[in-house]
Amino acid sequence: PVAASEDADSDTAVPAGEAGISAAGGRRTKGSLRGAVLDILEAHPERAYKTSELCRLIDAANAGADARKASAGAVVNAADKLVGDGKAVRTVEKPATFQLAPARP
């Protein structure tokens, strides 16, 4: 198992399991929350998601796993990193709403 560090959304560790949950205390592995947000946005590229919707969908996907609930702050941070990487766009500031970035030609 990978030991979880304070930065739960960097990309330097190898995930401990398919769900992106570390063995210790239900903490998410590094980068798994960003991946979960991206998976949701990619599944419906035409749709924009509020942070609360992303949290609910992430929690539903991890039902049965020993994972902590996705906090709104952590989800916004993960989505903002995707925005910085050019993979997502913030369509509304408040409430924070995100959508998959349009494909570049």
Side-chain angles (χ1 to χ4, degrees), residues 1-5 8 16-17 19-30 32-33 58-59 62-71:
V2 175
S5 75
I21 309 302
S22 72
R27 185 166 180 141
R28 296 175 193 283
T29 56
K30 294 181 178 184
S32 67
L33 191 56
I58 291 166
D59 290 342
N62 289 322
D66 187 25
R68 293 180 185 167
K69 289 193 176 261
S71 74

Side-chain angles (χ1 to χ4, degrees), residues 7-103:
D7 180 8
D9 197 50
S10 82
D11 291 322
T12 58
V14 176
E18 288 184 50
I21 309 302
S22 72
R27 185 166 180 141
R28 296 175 193 283
T29 56
K30 294 181 178 184
S32 67
L33 191 56
R34 191 180 324 167
V37 171
L38 185 59
D39 288 346
I40 292 166
L41 298 179
E42 287 177 336
H44 299 282
E46 73 290 346
R47 187 166 187 276
Y49 290 90
K50 294 178 183 176
T51 303
S52 60
E53 293 174 302
L54 291 169
C55 289
R56 188 176 64 250
L57 291 168
I58 291 166
D59 290 342
N62 289 322
D66 187 25
R68 293 180 185 167
K69 289 193 176 261
S71 74
V75 169
V76 167
N77 288 341
D80 279 337
K81 287 182 181 182
L82 291 171
V83 170
D85 292 344
K87 295 179 180 178
V89 293
R90 188 186 278 233
T91 59
V92 178
E93 283 299 315
K94 289 195 177 191
T97 306
F98 300 92
Q99 187 172 2
L100 189 68

